[in-house]
Amino acid sequence: MTQLFPQLDNQFKPILYSFRRCPYAMRARMALQLSSIQVEIRDIELKNKPPAMVALSPKATVPVLQLGENTVLDESLDIMLLALSHPIETLLPSDCATEPASIEIISTIDYQHLMARIQNLAQRNDDLALIAQNDNQFKPWLDKYKYADRFPEQTEGFYRQQGEQFITLLEARLSQHAFLSGAQLSLSDIAIFPFIRQFAHVNKAWFDQSPYLKVNAWLTALIDSPLFASIMVKRPVWQWVQ
């Protein structure tokens, strides 16, 4: 990852290139929703990526956050760390008029805890280690489970069993406390949640009757949260001029 807290250009409104259903983009949008950083979200089509985005990030995968003329973040965790260093609580006094959804989002999240875990090196590294397991070990099995017909070497059930090793780890954590890293929502919850959502929806009937009761409850709570609803609003595809 790049430097933790890049400087924002006050003369430039950040632009986020995103795809609504991409789990990496989801976690970036969730973190940005919790921050004071106001961004222009440009939803794209993965089959028709805008040259403006590709020019900023040649790897051409979402999310891509343009912070200024010469500053780009194209790793979702970098975007999350930047966003969660700018919590909105500090900008909203108790008498501030906000939309009802924003009030509900704020009232259910401990911003001091979120920021403290990121600022604390040991706690941040603990979160990042769990996220690395998700991204590097669980995600490849998730892809094979989700698209088992593309990987005929093994059965869908085999790929699910490999993914279950990580689900079992999360179940153990959630048996100790309400969230993955403790009693409060943290970086790891936001970063991992979209991928567990994908895993659950490959075969929702199976997942609902699975022994992972704590994971299921945690997942349901996040899916039903105003925070998630706020980042899943459908937007028209951003139109770019060729």
Side-chain angles (χ1 to χ4, degrees):
M1 289 181 291
T2 58
Q3 60 177 319
L4 189 54
F5 304 138
Q7 293 295 314
L8 299 179
D9 182 349
N10 293 329
Q11 305 302 314
F12 185 94
K13 183 176 182 179
I15 297 169
L16 179 72
Y17 292 91
S18 180
F19 179 67
R20 184 173 176 271
R21 297 192 304 275
C22 170
Y24 295 102
M26 281 183 191
R27 68 188 188 184
R29 295 198 309 272
M30 288 176 76
L32 286 166
Q33 177 68 32
L34 297 176
S35 81
S36 62
I37 303 172
Q38 300 297 311
V39 302
E40 174 191 342
I41 297 180
R42 295 179 175 178
D43 279 341
I44 70 162
E45 293 179 322
L46 295 180
K47 294 181 179 179
N48 188 25
K49 298 171 184 176
M53 186 191 84
V54 178
L56 292 170
S57 176
K59 67 178 187 176
T61 59
V62 292
V64 174
L65 180 64
Q66 183 179 11
L67 294 169
E69 294 299 329
N70 301 306
T71 307
V72 175
L73 296 181
D74 60 4
E75 295 288 346
S76 60
L77 282 178
D78 283 339
I79 296 172
M80 294 183 72
L81 289 170
L82 170 71
L84 295 178
S85 70
H86 294 77
I88 61 177
E89 185 181 50
T90 57
L91 301 182
L92 292 173
S94 58
D95 61 347
C96 179
T98 60
E99 293 296 322
S102 298
I103 294 173
E104 192 171 358
I105 290 170
I106 294 167
S107 67
T108 58
I109 295 174
D110 185 338
Y111 286 86
Q112 291 183 342
H113 172 82
L114 270 171
M115 198 167 186
R117 280 195 69 86
I118 287 176
Q119 292 177 334
N120 182 295
L121 181 61
Q123 291 181 333
R124 183 172 76 240
N125 286 342
D126 180 67
D127 282 348
L128 292 175
L130 185 62
I131 295 167
Q133 284 186 266
N134 175 82
D135 292 6
N136 301 326
Q137 299 172 27
F138 175 69
K139 177 61 163 61
W141 290 121
L142 167 60
D143 289 343
K144 290 185 175 182
Y145 174 41
K146 186 176 179 181
Y147 305 108
D149 57 330
R150 302 179 189 177
F151 302 95
E153 298 83 3
Q154 297 290 345
T155 65
E156 177 183 293
F158 174 84
Y159 295 132
R160 181 173 67 209
Q161 289 174 355
Q162 305 312 304
E164 283 183 79
Q165 295 179 37
F166 186 64
I167 303 297
T168 299
L169 172 63
L170 301 188
E171 183 74 12
R173 281 180 167 248
L174 293 168
S175 296
Q176 298 175 20
H177 29 66
F179 295 95
L180 295 179
S181 297
Q184 301 290 339
L185 187 78
S186 71
L187 177 72
S188 58
D189 297 285
I190 300 172
I192 292 171
F193 151 71
F195 299 89
I196 307 305
R197 175 179 174 270
Q198 274 197 347
F199 183 87
H201 282 83
V202 174
N203 187 334
K204 193 64 165 57
W206 174 87
F207 188 80
D208 286 343
Q209 58 79 47
S210 75
Y212 309 113
L213 302 182
K214 298 295 185 181
V215 172
N216 206 330
W218 167 85
L219 178 65
T220 299
L222 283 167
I223 289 174
D224 291 343
S225 70
L227 172 60
F228 185 62
S230 71
I231 66 101
M232 292 301 287
V233 173
K234 290 186 177 180
R235 295 180 174 84
V237 173
W238 180 66
Q239 300 298 317
W240 51 279
V241 179
Q242 294 186 347

